Amino acid sequence: MAPSKVLVVRASPRPEGHSNKVANEFLANLKAKNPQVVVEEWLLEEKKDIPEFGQKVINGKGESPTPEEKSAWEGTLKIISEFKTFDLYVVATPMWNFNVPAKLINLIDVLAQAGHTFEYVDGAARGLLANKKVLFVCAHMGAYPNGVLDNDFQLPYLRHMFNFMGVSEQKDIAIDFSFKGDEADVKPLEQAKALAADWL
């Protein structure tokens, strides 16, 4: 079934970055196939309403929070509520220091809240974001086949956290050897086009 609402999470601050370029190709083909789809974008470098996850957020959901702490928790709930309205997520990210940029980590920290995106049943965690899909578009200077090498903390982290929150239907496009410039984008762009046609 084609998605009705798509959220694009852009962790790269560079509009012309490899992950953004490939995500754009996927979205262009998705919208050509499904003109009715609604697409919203969160540019993490510019989006200011995502709280910084820390003690203020933690205290904000406890008893007797200060006004500042309460505001931080309410901001967290607002982001979670918005995030839940989408049925397809496209996460476009570069690799920084073998992981994803700090703003993307912060977003995931904000989203991963017990009782909202996961819960515990008989001592085991269960994700609450059912019937949703995610595409990870991951750019990096090297090559990390299937996201399994010891020094890849990018794709395995994303897979784990989204699965933890219940988004188990996942696809990914790797952009290897990004230092090669446009050459690095050729195969990923083809994959993005094919995925928009065949997956959804």
Side-chain angles (χ1 to χ4, degrees):
M1 180 181 295
S4 59
K5 290 188 69 178
V6 179
L7 174 62
V8 186
V9 178
R10 297 187 186 269
S12 173
R14 299 191 301 124
E16 75 285 0
H18 296 277
S19 61
N20 285 331
K21 183 177 179 181
V22 173
N24 289 344
E25 180 71 11
F26 174 80
L27 293 167
N29 284 275
L30 176 64
K31 288 188 283 189
K33 181 182 177 183
N34 305 286
Q36 77 286 353
V37 70
V38 175
V39 178
E40 183 172 327
E41 304 209 4
W42 289 3
L43 282 64
L44 298 187
E45 191 70 19
E46 300 175 7
K47 190 171 174 60
K48 304 303 183 185
D49 60 341
I50 301 174
E52 180 180 350
F53 184 77
Q55 200 61 49
K56 290 179 183 177
V57 171
I58 295 170
N59 290 350
K61 57 183 174 179
E63 297 182 2
S64 303
T66 67
E68 191 174 11
E69 291 167 345
K70 182 180 179 182
S71 177
W73 177 238
E74 289 175 346
T76 295
L77 293 178
K78 178 177 179 291
I79 290 298
I80 292 173
S81 179
E82 291 177 8
F83 192 81
K84 286 181 174 181
T85 66
F86 299 92
D87 45 29
L88 171 64
Y89 307 108
V90 178
V91 181
T93 180
M95 175 182 279
W96 287 2
N97 296 322
F98 304 104
N99 205 326
V100 299
K103 288 185 181 294
L104 179 52
I105 295 174
N106 181 71
L107 172 62
I108 293 173
D109 285 344
V110 165
L111 292 171
Q113 300 297 321
H116 298 277
T117 54
F118 71 94
E119 63 181 357
Y120 287 102
V121 179
D122 297 328
R126 181 175 68 182
L128 297 176
L129 302 183
N131 303 314
K132 299 179 186 296
K133 303 177 182 180
V134 62
L135 168 63
F136 302 119
V137 182
C138 297
H140 26 64
M141 295 287 283
Y144 302 87
N146 300 316
V148 296
L149 296 187
D150 288 343
N151 55 354
D152 179 7
F153 303 100
Q154 181 193 45
L155 183 56
Y157 166 71
L158 292 171
R159 284 174 173 167
H160 175 79
M161 290 306 302
F162 272 77
N163 187 65
F164 179 76
M165 294 187 289
V167 188
S168 57
E169 186 167 350
Q170 305 181 355
K171 298 288 185 181
D172 59 85
I173 299 174
I175 306 159
D176 298 330
F177 305 118
S178 58
F179 65 87
K180 293 184 178 181
D182 291 344
E183 180 184 342
D185 297 329
V186 174
K187 183 178 178 180
L189 288 171
E190 293 173 354
Q191 291 175 320
K193 184 176 181 179
L195 198 58
D198 299 337
W199 181 34
L200 303 169

